């Protein structure tokens, strides 16, 4: 536990000092996934996204859903709902606009184990209900976890985590964004792990980078 606290404090300090000198933001993320029975699970998620380290809110994202295991621990279908509050700066001012989005999504997750390497694919469709607008978006996520000090992800394991996710709109412009992420993680015990990492996000007309601190609770997929 001392190791975990030391890592988090170090990351927080680095994030704070770095954010003072750049426009790199920071995301605090919680992923929960609780088992209802051998076939069904409940997903719950909170993301607090900042323009700087903390206190300058960009987005608050709340997401939940019910999943069904097609095969135990390998293939999962999920239907979910998301609420997203976005605060954007008005150009050349210090004022923000505030908007809400309601989102329905469907996803399929499948994972594979290649030796010590855990590979996860996620395919997601989103129906986005914005103010006076409706949009659809398709997302593909490829994630890889590699244990460092043990042969498998288990209690007291350090691991490397990386993913790439591409977002495609149903209408023009087709390309929405791409996210490339790398992190180091620690498995506190079999149901809880933490990660601290960095994400480079490429949008249609701009780029934005984020540090991330992520907590996973009872990850089943």
């Amino acid at each position: 536990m001392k190791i975990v606290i030391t890592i988090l404090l170090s990351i927080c300090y680095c994030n704070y000092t770095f954010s003072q000198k750049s426009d790199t933001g920071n995301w605090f993320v919680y992923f929960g996934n609780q088992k209802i029975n051998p076939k069904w699970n409940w997903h719950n998620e909170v993301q607090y996204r900042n323009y700087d380290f903390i206190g300058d809110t960009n987005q608050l994202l709340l997401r939940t859903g019910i999943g069904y295991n097609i095969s135990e621990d390998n293939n999962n279908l999920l239907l979910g709902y998301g609420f997203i509050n976005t605060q954007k700066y008005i150009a050349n001012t210090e004022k923000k606009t505030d908007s809400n989005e309601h989102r329905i999504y469907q996803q399929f997750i499948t994972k594979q184990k290649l030796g010590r390497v855990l590979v996860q694919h996620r395919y997601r469709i989103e129906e986005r209900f914005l103010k006076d607008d409706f949009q659809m978006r398709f997302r593909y996520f490829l994630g890889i976890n590699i244990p460092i000090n043990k042969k498998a992800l288990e209690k007291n394991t350090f691991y490397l985590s990386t993913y790439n996710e591409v977002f495609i709109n149903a209408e023009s412009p087709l390309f929405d964004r791409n996210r490339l992420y790398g992190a180091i993680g620690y498995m506190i015990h079999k149901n809880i792990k933490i990660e601290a990492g960095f994400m480079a996000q490429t949008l249609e007309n701009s780029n934005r980078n984020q540090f991330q601190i992520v907590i996973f609770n009872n990850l089943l997929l």
Side-chain angles (χ1 to χ4, degrees), residues 165-207:
E165 185 173 21
V166 61
F167 296 61
I168 302 296
N169 294 316
E171 300 178 359
S172 181
L174 292 180
F175 176 77
D176 183 78
R177 69 193 63 201
N178 189 83
R179 293 174 178 170
L180 180 62
Y181 169 83
I184 184 167
Y186 181 71
M187 203 91 176
I188 298 173
H189 66 73
K190 65 178 182 178
N191 290 328
I192 298 179
K193 62 182 183 179
I194 61 172
E195 288 182 9
F198 184 81
M199 182 185 72
Q201 183 167 214
T202 303
L203 296 93
E204 182 189 7
N205 298 313
S206 63
N207 299 319

Side-chain angles (χ1 to χ4, degrees), residues 11-12 14-19 22 24-29 48-50 52-53 181-182 195-200 208-214:
I11 291 296
C12 288
C14 291
N15 286 1
Y16 177 76
T17 54
F18 192 89
S19 67
S22 76
T24 299
N26 193 54
W27 291 7
F28 296 94
V29 183
Y48 175 46
R49 302 172 175 179
N50 291 269
D52 54 17
F53 173 65
Y181 169 83
E195 288 182 9
F198 184 81
M199 182 185 72
R208 176 129 184 113
N209 300 322
Q210 278 89 20
F211 288 103
Q212 291 192 27
I213 297 175
V214 189

Side-chain angles (χ1 to χ4, degrees), residues 60-104:
L60 174 64
L61 184 150
L62 307 174
R63 192 153 39 206
T64 189
I66 296 296
Y68 177 78
N69 292 319
I70 300 173
S71 60
E72 188 174 357
D73 295 333
N74 288 320
N75 299 285
N76 182 270
L77 283 171
L78 185 140
L79 173 65
Y81 165 78
F83 171 80
I84 302 92
N85 173 262
T86 301
Q87 300 179 28
K88 288 186 178 180
Y89 277 103
I90 301 171
N92 303 317
T93 74
E94 294 185 357
K95 296 181 179 180
K96 292 180 179 180
T97 60
D98 191 285
S99 62
N100 294 326
E101 174 185 344
H102 300 275
R103 188 180 299 175
I104 298 172

Side-chain angles (χ1 to χ4, degrees), residues 28-36 40-48 61-67 76 78-83 105 107 109 122 124 191-192 214-221:
F28 296 94
V29 183
Y30 167 85
F31 291 111
N33 197 8
Q34 280 72 46
K35 191 174 185 179
I36 298 173
W40 296 91
N41 65 283
W42 171 49
H43 175 79
N44 43 96
E45 176 181 342
V46 179
Q47 298 193 27
Y48 175 46
L61 184 150
L62 307 174
R63 192 153 39 206
T64 189
I66 296 296
N76 182 270
L78 185 140
L79 173 65
Y81 165 78
F83 171 80
Y105 68 99
Q107 71 180 31
I109 291 179
R122 185 180 70 204
R124 179 180 289 174
N191 290 328
I192 298 179
V214 189
I215 298 175
F216 299 85
N217 176 25
N218 199 16
L219 190 66
L220 301 177
L221 302 178

Side-chain angles (χ1 to χ4, degrees), residues 141-184:
F141 169 103
L142 173 62
I144 297 174
N145 286 346
I146 306 173
I148 297 174
N149 59 319
K150 297 188 178 184
K151 294 183 179 180
L153 286 179
E154 57 187 42
K155 183 179 178 180
N156 298 327
T157 302
F158 285 96
Y159 65 94
L160 297 176
S161 175
T162 184
Y163 73 72
N164 192 82
E165 185 173 21
V166 61
F167 296 61
I168 302 296
N169 294 316
E171 300 178 359
S172 181
L174 292 180
F175 176 77
D176 183 78
R177 69 193 63 201
N178 189 83
R179 293 174 178 170
L180 180 62
Y181 169 83
I184 184 167

